[in-house]
Amino acid sequence: MNVLKFPLHIEIKITNKCNLKCLHCISSAGRVYKKELSKKEIFKIIEEAKKEKAFTIGITGGEPFLRNDIFEIIDKIYNSGLELIITTNGTLVNKSILERIKNKVSLIRISIDHFERTKHDYFRGVKGSFQKTISSIRLIQKYKDYFQLTTMTVISNFNFKNIRKIINFLEKLGVKSANIFLFVPGGRGKKRKDEFNLSCEQIKLFCELIKKEKQNRKKITIHASNPLMSILEDKDRFSRCPAAFTSCFITENGDVLPCPYFYSNKNKKDSIKKTKLKNIWLKSPRFIALRKEENLGLKCKKCDFKKTCFGGCRAGAFVEYNTIKKPDPMCWL
């Protein structure tokens, strides 16, 4: 298998500090950690990404706009010539912020998990978060000539029955792009595993519904970057998870992970505080293992879809079984 010499997309969690207390948060965000990445360390990542010709950098949290030097980081990425994506809960976005970043950001991703105010606030752990997020979306839409907007919705047993209503709500709100994700029980989400987990049958229904929504919606584009979608679509269509293949995730402490769902599987050796990102990308046993077909579960090795979904969510398997050598627990086959 050919391996890229460097990731095309790098997601950097610039702080664990957050003003919300989301019930599903994979990193249990809230307080600032003592050894979070310094501005100098983040700049070093950006400089390496520029040198190695990465395409995009994403910054996330926690809540990225709670970091005091956020605008310096944005300026550094912009001046590097890399495309910038910001993921935010939307509660802190205002006109002043948008004016400062309007020529420097390609995409803003905002989280919204329900069409009902009280239920969104419950899921996000803070009253009033829904209204602030909706106000931010409406404000960002006024800057459509400067950057794109997409929403991010986590689907769990909490809101599974309301998927269409959520999409309807977003469409009426004028949102043009919506990303729909499936709940993975990490961080605070572990405590809600029994409450939020979806059954394999529900996952199948989810994929069937999303397939129809993607085909039938005209005013809003639906994205569901789940490898299991390939089971219902063209089995020759490439839908492998990008983790360790084209993208990686860097924690607020500098640990490099294939994706944020591997948060509980940190390796102190895989730290940009100790070595270059390129070295980790090419030499880390964890990254190498994810790329090998031989590390798929036995059931996956025999599956007709192994070349397209490549075992589904490997992090999901790790969270459930503490190994990537098992099938995706969400797979219904």
Side-chain angles (χ1 to χ4, degrees):
M1 179 184 295
N2 293 326
V3 178
L4 292 174
K5 293 181 179 179
F6 197 79
L8 302 179
H9 175 72
I10 304 159
E11 193 82 8
I12 309 172
K13 182 184 174 190
I14 61 173
T15 183
N16 193 62
K17 188 175 183 180
C18 192
N19 58 328
L20 300 186
K21 300 175 182 177
C22 304
L23 300 180
H24 68 299
C25 184
I26 56 174
S27 59
S28 302
R31 64 184 179 88
V32 178
Y33 291 136
K34 292 182 179 180
K35 297 182 179 180
E36 291 193 349
L37 290 167
S38 66
K39 180 174 66 177
K40 183 178 179 180
E41 288 168 331
I42 293 174
F43 280 13
K44 193 173 180 180
I45 298 170
I46 297 167
E47 288 163 3
E48 185 180 1
K50 177 183 178 181
K51 178 183 177 182
E52 299 295 340
K53 296 180 171 55
F55 288 174
T56 57
I57 285 184
I59 55 177
T60 185
E63 171 48 50
F65 285 110
L66 285 173
R67 182 154 174 150
N68 294 331
D69 54 7
I70 177 69
F71 297 110
E72 294 177 73
I73 294 171
I74 290 173
D75 286 345
K76 179 68 175 179
I77 297 172
Y78 172 72
N79 291 329
S80 73
L82 294 161
E83 296 289 315
L84 171 59
I85 300 170
I86 296 179
T87 301
T88 170
N89 60 43
T91 61
L92 302 178
V93 175
N94 56 41
K95 186 175 181 179
S96 175
I97 286 175
L98 295 179
E99 284 294 322
R100 293 188 69 173
I101 69 174
K102 66 181 182 182
N103 292 310
K104 303 169 184 177
V105 178
S106 299
L107 174 68
I108 295 180
R109 300 189 293 205
I110 288 190
S111 301
I112 185 161
D113 297 298
H114 214 284
F115 65 93
E116 291 186 20
R117 174 183 57 81
T118 54
K119 291 186 177 180
H120 174 89
D121 287 357
Y122 167 76
F123 197 69
R124 291 281 158 178
V126 174
K127 289 184 178 180
S129 59
F130 177 82
Q131 192 55 54
K132 290 179 180 178
T133 297
I134 297 304
S135 296
S136 292
I137 289 173
R138 287 176 172 147
L139 180 59
I140 292 169
Q141 288 170 331
K142 296 179 181 180
Y143 286 78
K144 61 182 180 180
D145 293 335
Y146 294 98
F147 34 61
Q148 295 178 303
L149 165 71
T150 189
T151 55
M152 301 176 69
T153 302
V154 175
I155 298 298
S156 67
N157 204 40
F158 169 73
N159 57 2
F160 174 75
K161 294 181 180 179
N162 300 115
I163 298 174
R164 278 202 177 94
K165 289 184 179 180
I166 292 171
I167 296 174
N168 287 339
F169 172 76
L170 294 172
E171 190 174 60
K172 290 179 181 179
L173 192 60
V175 172
K176 303 299 182 184
S177 173
N179 283 272
I180 315 292
F181 298 90
L182 289 170
F183 168 74
V184 175
R188 275 197 292 269
K190 284 184 178 181
K191 298 178 181 179
R192 303 278 180 164
K193 180 180 177 180
D194 293 339
E195 178 184 355
F196 288 163
N197 256 2
L198 294 169
S199 68
C200 289
E201 182 59 31
Q202 285 176 308
I203 299 296
K204 181 181 179 181
L205 291 173
F206 166 84
C207 290
E208 291 173 341
L209 185 153
I210 292 299
K211 180 182 178 181
K212 290 180 181 178
E213 293 298 305
K214 288 171 69 174
Q215 294 172 340
N216 298 333
R217 296 282 174 170
K218 304 299 181 184
K219 296 181 180 180
I220 185 171
T221 301
I222 307 299
H223 304 277
S225 54
N226 191 302
L228 296 178
M229 290 292 297
S230 65
I231 297 174
L232 301 177
E233 296 176 333
D234 185 352
K235 71 176 182 180
D236 295 321
R237 181 181 176 184
F238 188 84
S239 61
R240 179 184 298 166
C241 175
F245 287 94
T246 61
S247 68
C248 67
F249 180 85
I250 302 177
T251 73
E252 70 286 346
N253 292 334
D255 299 312
V256 183
L257 308 175
C259 82
Y261 292 124
F262 281 99
Y263 217 89
S264 62
N265 184 225
K266 296 177 184 178
N267 183 338
K268 293 183 179 179
K269 293 181 180 179
D270 291 348
S271 172
I272 56 90
K273 293 186 177 185
K274 297 180 178 180
T275 186
K276 289 184 177 180
L277 177 57
K278 186 174 183 178
N279 291 336
I280 298 170
W281 178 259
L282 294 176
K283 299 177 182 179
S284 167
R286 173 170 42 191
F287 278 76
I288 293 171
L290 277 172
R291 298 168 184 145
K292 291 184 176 182
E293 185 177 314
E294 63 195 65
N295 288 327
L296 295 178
L298 182 61
K299 179 181 176 181
C300 296
K301 289 178 182 178
K302 298 179 179 179
C303 182
D304 290 339
F305 296 92
K306 72 175 180 181
K307 295 294 184 183
T308 50
C309 89
F310 206 70
C313 179
R314 312 312 304 132
F318 178 81
V319 169
E320 183 70 20
Y321 309 113
N322 201 35
T323 176
I324 62 169
K325 297 182 179 182
K326 292 280 187 179
D328 183 345
M330 291 188 279
C331 181
W332 61 86
L333 293 180

